[in-house]
Amino acid sequence: MDNPARNIALVPPPDRRQSETALAIARGTARLLRSLGFSCISELPLPSGRRADLVALNERGEIWIVEIKSSVEDLRADQKWHEYRAHCDRLFFAFTQDLPCDIFPQDTGLIIADAYGAHMHCEAPEHRIAAATRKQMTVRFGMAAALRINRLVDPQGHADFWE
């Protein structure tokens, strides 16, 4: 007898919004962030209605947002990244080594990544967020992570709450 639980994927399929390059950058960047003591979640909806590419949280409650850029055109077309700063302690751009560093804003950190890893090219300046914002982001992070795990365990039992 076929068990339907065996057909549940451990990792959800890609949503096709990101290019292969962006997915590779996200993977390598998440590996770097984990090595720095952060847990990461991708595509987290923010209170502003925007969606951050990667949000990282560590045991001290620090929140970093990483905006992934796969091309010069991707950066030039993006006018929303300024809004992310209100939701994090540090803001970074992650990109491949094929892009020049000097095209990115000077008041952000830079991470150079590929599918297998990443390195911090320059640190982001710290701008601590307010306690109420930190709580809101931490709860949002935890709820989104728990809902994603629940969807893996029981895909038919959970509506797309965050979508």
Side-chain angles (χ1 to χ4, degrees), residues 128-138:
R128 304 281 296 169
I129 54 177
T133 302
R134 184 174 315 286
K135 179 181 178 184
Q136 183 180 38
M137 285 297 294
T138 302

Side-chain angles (χ1 to χ4, degrees), residues 143-160:
M143 291 291 295
L147 285 168
R148 290 177 187 185
I149 291 169
N150 289 334
R151 274 190 274 182
L152 288 174
V153 173
D154 182 12
Q156 292 80 31
H158 295 276
D160 288 334

Side-chain angles (χ1 to χ4, degrees), residues 16 21 23 33 45 58 69 72 74-76 78 81 88 90 99 106 116-117 123 125-126 134 136 138 144 151 159 161:
R16 307 278 185 238
T21 302
L23 292 171
L33 293 169
N58 69 12
K69 294 297 163 206
V72 174
D74 187 13
L75 178 64
R76 287 185 181 146
D78 183 2
W81 68 266
C88 63
R90 294 180 193 260
L99 296 180
Q106 291 184 348
Y116 304 101
E123 287 279 343
E126 184 178 54
R134 184 174 315 286
Q136 183 180 38
T138 302
R151 274 190 274 182
F161 184 78

Side-chain angles (χ1 to χ4, degrees), residues 38-133:
F38 286 84
S39 295
C40 300
I41 192 164
S42 62
E43 296 296 319
L44 182 68
L46 301 173
S48 65
R50 299 290 187 194
R51 189 182 299 252
D53 292 334
L54 282 178
V55 177
L57 175 70
N58 69 12
E59 64 184 15
R60 292 185 308 273
E62 293 175 313
I63 298 169
W64 292 4
I65 291 180
V66 180
E67 180 67 3
I68 295 168
K69 294 297 163 206
S70 57
S71 67
V72 174
E73 295 77 21
D74 187 13
L75 178 64
R76 287 185 181 146
D78 183 2
Q79 300 300 313
K80 66 190 181 311
W81 68 266
H82 298 281
E83 298 175 33
Y84 299 158
R85 193 178 306 277
H87 305 290
C88 63
D89 296 306
R90 294 180 193 260
L91 179 62
F92 293 86
F93 282 98
F95 53 95
T96 66
Q97 65 182 1
D98 298 332
L99 296 180
C101 294
D102 60 358
I103 66 170
F104 293 95
Q106 291 184 348
D107 60 343
T108 61
L110 301 178
I111 297 170
I112 299 175
D114 62 23
Y116 304 101
H119 74 275
M120 188 84 60
H121 183 69
C122 70
E123 287 279 343
E126 184 178 54
H127 50 274
R128 304 281 296 169
I129 54 177
T133 302

